Amino acid sequence: MSIVIRVEQLKKVYHLGKVKVEALRGISFQVEEGEFVSIMGPSGSGKSTLMHIIGCLDYPSEGKYFLTNHDVTKLDDNQLAIFRNKKIGFVFQQFNLLPRATNLRNVEIPLIYAGMPFRERQRQTLKALQDVGINHRAHHHPNEISGGEKQRVAIARALVNNPSIILADEPTGNLDSKTGLEIMKIFQNLNQKGNTIILVTHEPELAHYAGRIIHLRDGIINREEVLA
Amino acid sequence: MILQGLKIALESLWANKMRSFLSMLGIVIGVGAVIAIVSVGTGSTQQITARIANLGSNMITIYPRALRGQFGRLSSISSQQKFTLELSEHLEEFCPSVKQVIPLKQVNGRLISDDVNINSAIIGTRAEYTEINNYEIAQGVFINQEDDLERRQVIVLGHQLASDLFDNENPLGNLVRLNYDGRIFQFTVIGVMKEKGGSMAGNLDERAYVPLSVVMDRLTAQKYVDSLLAQAYSSDEANRAVQEIEYFMQKHLEDEKREQFRITSQDEILDTVSSVTNTMNMMLGGIAAISLLVGGIGIMNIMLVSVTERTREIGIRKALGAQNKNILFQFLMESLSLSSLGGVAGIGFGWVATYFLAQYGNWPFIISTISVIIAFSFALFIGIFFGLYPAMKAAKMNPVDALRYE
Ligand SMILES: Nc1ncnc2c1ncn2[C@@H]1O[C@H](COP(=O)(O)OP(=O)(O)OP(=O)(O)O)[C@@H](O)[C@H]1O
Ligand SMILES: [Mg+2]
């Protein structure tokens, strides 16, 4: 098994005027290919901050981060964008779909930035929509479908470019528990097909879909729990 | 990437139709105004130059200097006295580019018919006068060579003068009396000129024309004339004709400093007029260009609003792998589309405005191509220039902050 993610002594400090906020205070862990990892922790413990750094959306203040053996901390803005495009699939709590584009167009966006030709793009987009069972809503707009369906579209968008890892930051946070469970089933299913997943959640029963739970508190790893 | 950027830009403009339209308006009006002003300027200038050309064909006028000067009257009289019929013949003979020269001598007198009397300018001239001046006869005939040789007391009336003297009556064959210098002379009306309107020398329609010999020998008994009217063979030769005349006059009058005579040509007047109108056009075009600039600021304003409003979209796109240049391009395409659509609409608007103004002002409908090209390129330039800052602002956004934006 190859290692997809390796972080060492990751720190993130925010400067608010004269006040320093230490969101992450030295985080080290690894994620292997095909793993399903949950991250739990109280509000403000640094979960989102960690996900943003792993998702190449932000730089750490200190520490090392290797994504598929590439040193991410050495990348510039453009290379970071390319990494986000090719290696990362991000699922947000607020769905973050473009309201004016159809679901199909939303899912297509990463492939457009990857420069994929039209036909191949169309095929891959439809396949991703199919994989999460939302292809019948391809030509609707996001505001015409339910929250659970929106999150499916968002997941389709996250996996459309066959990323090395799927990151989900409280993907069920805006959904009722029944729909939340359905979304978790999708992640479980994707994991069984071989996708590597890191998922942030507040709800313990959802966290147990993963093979491992990392507990954060005050910007450090409090405890790790191996389940299966 | 170009097509994709254009598509995204047009989609987002379409989504905000009203706002896009309003922000385009400044460019539409600016481009339209530049085109209309320059085109109208071109059209009306053509009208003016056509009118000047209408005043005569390749006409050159030679005056003695300070003809009616109050100072140095002696010297001016002496120079005027050199303007004789012999000088006129010499000019014709010695200047090869000059087709013909006719002398003019004007007197002011009172014309009387039955119960009407009118103060009027009486021009003593010759048969060729009509040809040189592009002046046509409406009724009857103009003075001919024999009238001049035999000093016949015949008169041709200007359009206005004829109707003032004779109302609706046919003036041809009627007698008019001329009171000049306390003496009365009788003339037979042989012709009436076509309407010509005002000129720099006053209203031509209020004048009358008699044989030159009558003015010189019968009315004034002076051996000199007021001015000489020369005609060049063609407009190409007009400049050469002027030089020849100048040279001849300098030698003939022994006047190296050209103090005793003055030459005006149509070319010279045309040059002056076109330089004045060109300056006007440039100035007005410049003012219109400022409205284009204002339109550009309007676009920048809208683009800044658009960037702020779509911060989240920018964050999402960046999270999905958009590089800074993708975002920059997307917004630049948007402002460029705005300004080029506005430019196209402005061309249409300028076209229509020019058409109606030309109808109204009765000058030829001409669209100045150069103004279209310049105004449109300027609009594009403004789209890029004023779109660049908002687009750069969008491109530089931090993805995490942009995603968090509500
Ligand atoms: N851009 C920022 N500027 C300043 N402080 C920040 C910024 N982002 C996060 N923080 C701070 O860092 C800490 C960790 O925030 P983070 O969003 O990672 O928490 P979280 O675990 O995701 O919380 P939640 O469960 O509420 O989403 C918090 O104290 C937060 O106030
Ligand atoms: Mg969070």
Side-chain angles (χ1 to χ4, degrees):
Chain A
M1 277 293 161
S2 64
I3 292 167
V4 182
I5 282 172
R6 178 156 62 92
V7 295
E8 285 170 14
Q9 284 303 312
L10 217 56
K11 292 185 185 170
K12 181 74 183 179
V13 184
Y14 291 109
H15 298 270
L16 292 173
K18 285 193 179 118
V19 188
K20 280 205 295 189
V21 180
E22 288 182 287
L24 299 177
R25 300 188 295 147
I27 302 246
S28 307
F29 69 97
Q30 296 186 354
V31 177
E32 289 180 359
E33 196 183 324
E35 258 198 294
F36 188 169
V37 178
S38 283
I39 296 178
M40 292 195 71
S43 192
S45 55
K47 306 184 291 295
S48 293
T49 306
L50 179 61
M51 291 295 264
H52 288 151
I53 292 170
I54 294 174
C56 298
L57 286 163
D58 211 350
Y59 291 97
S61 308
E62 260 180 65
K64 292 217 170 298
Y65 170 26
F66 296 93
L67 175 60
T68 59
N69 285 324
H70 297 276
D71 188 347
V72 176
T73 53
K74 292 216 165 67
L75 301 181
D76 65 20
D77 273 0
N78 263 341
Q79 292 166 316
L80 225 50
I82 294 169
F83 262 54
R84 289 198 290 271
N85 187 243
K86 302 231 187 292
K87 295 184 182 291
I88 310 276
F90 217 110
V91 181
F92 303 89
Q93 181 177 352
Q94 302 88 343
F95 318 125
N96 278 343
L97 299 171
L98 298 183
R100 287 198 304 264
T102 62
N103 295 324
L104 186 88
R105 295 271 290 147
N106 265 290
V107 175
E108 209 181 6
I109 294 171
L111 303 183
I112 290 174
Y113 289 126
M116 187 180 282
F118 177 77
R119 287 179 162 261
E120 201 182 339
R121 206 166 71 203
Q122 208 75 356
R123 195 167 46 78
Q124 209 154 316
T125 305
L126 284 169
K127 183 181 171 294
L129 285 163
Q130 231 152 26
D131 284 350
V132 297
I134 196 70
N135 43 331
H136 58 294
R137 292 277 186 254
H139 298 287
H140 287 72
H141 282 79
N143 59 0
E144 296 164 348
I145 58 176
S146 72
E149 288 175 319
K150 280 186 207 171
Q151 202 56 300
R152 282 169 195 249
V153 173
I155 295 169
R157 185 177 64 183
L159 56 93
V160 73
N161 54 350
N162 295 315
S164 310
I165 186 155
I166 296 174
L167 303 173
D169 192 353
E170 299 193 47
T172 62
N174 282 1
L175 302 174
D176 60 51
S177 51
K178 182 172 163 285
T179 322
L181 269 175
E182 281 169 25
I183 294 298
M184 285 313 293
K185 293 251 166 66
I186 291 173
F187 280 113
Q188 193 177 39
N189 190 264
L190 289 173
N191 178 240
Q192 275 157 10
K193 285 184 190 165
N195 286 288
T196 315
I197 298 172
I198 302 179
L199 184 141
V200 172
T201 183
H202 275 298
E203 294 162 73
E205 62 267 37
L206 297 187
H208 283 77
Y209 277 81
R212 180 156 63 112
I213 303 176
I214 294 173
H215 291 272
L216 283 192
R217 180 181 289 268
D218 295 334
I220 50 169
I221 295 180
N222 188 27
R223 174 162 75 87
E224 258 188 78
E225 205 177 334
V226 180
L227 297 166
Chain B
M1 186 173 101
I2 292 179
L3 236 62
Q4 212 63 48
L6 188 67
K7 199 172 161 193
I8 294 172
L10 290 178
E11 272 171 8
S12 92
L13 291 182
W14 186 246
N16 291 302
K17 285 182 272 296
M18 191 62 185
R19 194 169 80 183
S20 308
F21 171 72
L22 287 177
S23 57
M24 249 190 276
L25 215 54
I27 296 287
V28 175
I29 292 171
V31 169
V34 169
I35 291 172
I37 284 172
V38 175
S39 297
V40 162
T42 318
S44 58
T45 305
Q46 260 196 20
Q47 187 194 32
I48 293 170
T49 45
R51 275 194 187 156
I52 292 170
N54 185 38
L55 289 178
S57 307
N58 317 315
M59 200 170 76
I60 300 158
T61 315
I62 310 135
Y63 306 93
R65 232 184 236 283
L67 183 62
R68 291 179 186 84
Q70 289 170 347
F71 313 105
R73 197 167 175 99
L74 274 175
S75 76
S76 79
I77 284 174
S78 67
S79 69
Q80 186 174 10
Q81 281 170 349
K82 293 179 186 168
F83 274 64
T84 58
L85 297 184
E86 289 74 49
L87 175 66
S88 167
E89 279 158 27
H90 281 65
L91 273 172
E92 221 173 76
E93 198 177 327
F94 291 113
C95 301
S97 303
V98 172
K99 187 177 169 195
Q100 53 192 354
V101 181
I102 56 166
L104 297 179
K105 190 167 179 69
Q106 175 179 339
V107 292
N108 294 306
R110 179 172 303 228
L111 283 174
I112 307 155
S113 88
D114 293 340
D115 46 10
V116 190
N117 65 72
I118 296 167
N119 278 328
S120 168
I122 317 293
I123 316 286
T125 184
R126 286 182 176 157
E128 297 82 0
Y129 184 80
T130 49
E131 183 200 333
I132 301 180
N133 281 288
N134 283 343
Y135 205 3
E136 281 170 45
I137 197 110
Q139 270 179 290
V141 292
F142 197 72
I143 301 153
N144 64 28
Q145 221 173 337
E146 275 174 37
D147 295 331
D148 192 44
L149 283 174
E150 295 179 15
R151 301 188 187 86
R152 287 179 188 153
Q153 284 180 234
V154 292
I155 190 163
V156 177
L157 303 175
H159 183 83
Q160 182 67 41
L161 188 60
S163 64
D164 287 349
L165 284 172
F166 293 100
D167 271 335
N168 297 325
E169 208 183 315
N170 183 359
L172 293 187
N174 275 315
L175 292 179
V176 287
R177 276 168 295 152
L178 169 65
N179 181 341
Y180 172 69
D181 209 15
R183 294 169 296 156
I184 303 285
F185 301 84
Q186 236 177 23
F187 285 85
T188 311
V189 179
I190 58 165
V192 176
M193 302 308 293
K194 273 196 179 161
E195 197 168 349
K196 183 134 181 168
S199 79
M200 275 153 284
N203 191 349
L204 296 173
D205 294 332
E206 291 173 358
R207 296 179 175 183
Y209 303 89
V210 299
L212 176 68
S213 55
V214 173
V215 174
M216 294 187 69
D217 302 340
R218 298 223 159 130
L219 301 186
T220 62
Q222 288 168 342
K223 292 288 165 223
Y224 53 86
V225 297
D226 292 344
S227 61
L228 298 175
L229 202 57
Q231 184 182 29
Y233 273 101
S234 68
S235 58
D236 295 338
E237 281 168 283
N239 277 335
R240 194 151 7 109
V242 170
Q243 283 166 9
E244 288 166 7
I245 292 169
E246 260 171 17
Y247 182 79
F248 179 83
M249 294 292 285
Q250 281 173 10
K251 289 283 173 269
H252 185 83
L253 302 182
E254 290 165 357
D255 177 18
E256 288 305 321
K257 291 186 201 144
R258 295 166 48 191
E259 281 169 332
Q260 299 186 34
F261 66 95
R262 186 159 59 93
I263 299 176
T264 62
S265 70
Q266 250 168 330
D267 272 6
E268 185 189 22
I269 298 168
L270 280 176
D271 283 353
T272 316
V273 168
S274 60
S275 83
V276 169
T277 51
N278 276 348
T279 317
M280 281 285 282
N281 288 349
M282 297 277 279
M283 215 174 71
L284 290 171
I287 291 171
I290 290 174
S291 79
L292 253 179
L293 208 68
V294 175
I297 295 169
I299 285 190
M300 174 144 95
N301 189 18
I302 287 298
M303 289 309 296
L304 282 172
V305 171
S306 175
V307 166
T308 311
E309 226 177 48
R310 284 150 69 195
T311 301
R312 204 178 176 89
E313 174 186 334
I314 295 164
I316 294 169
R317 287 184 180 279
K318 286 198 152 189
L320 299 177
Q323 298 177 25
N324 293 359
K325 64 174 186 219
N326 296 121
I327 303 292
L328 183 86
F329 197 73
Q330 177 187 338
F331 282 93
L332 216 48
M333 278 316 254
E334 212 173 299
S335 64
L336 200 58
S337 309
L338 268 181
S339 67
S340 53
L341 285 176
V344 170
I347 291 174
F349 169 64
W351 195 293
V352 171
T354 308
Y355 178 78
F356 281 108
L357 286 169
Q359 293 277 303
Y360 178 74
N362 223 355
W363 53 70
F365 170 61
I366 301 163
I367 291 288
S368 150
T369 323
I370 191 83
S371 78
V372 172
I373 294 168
I374 289 177
F376 189 71
S377 345
F378 195 45
L380 292 191
F381 167 76
I382 274 176
I384 293 175
F385 184 80
F386 286 103
L388 200 59
Y389 172 70
M392 268 164 46
K393 204 177 137 176
K396 276 197 212 134
M397 274 181 190
N398 173 309
V400 175
D401 294 341
L403 277 170
R404 197 171 291 159
Y405 186 85
E406 288 301 328

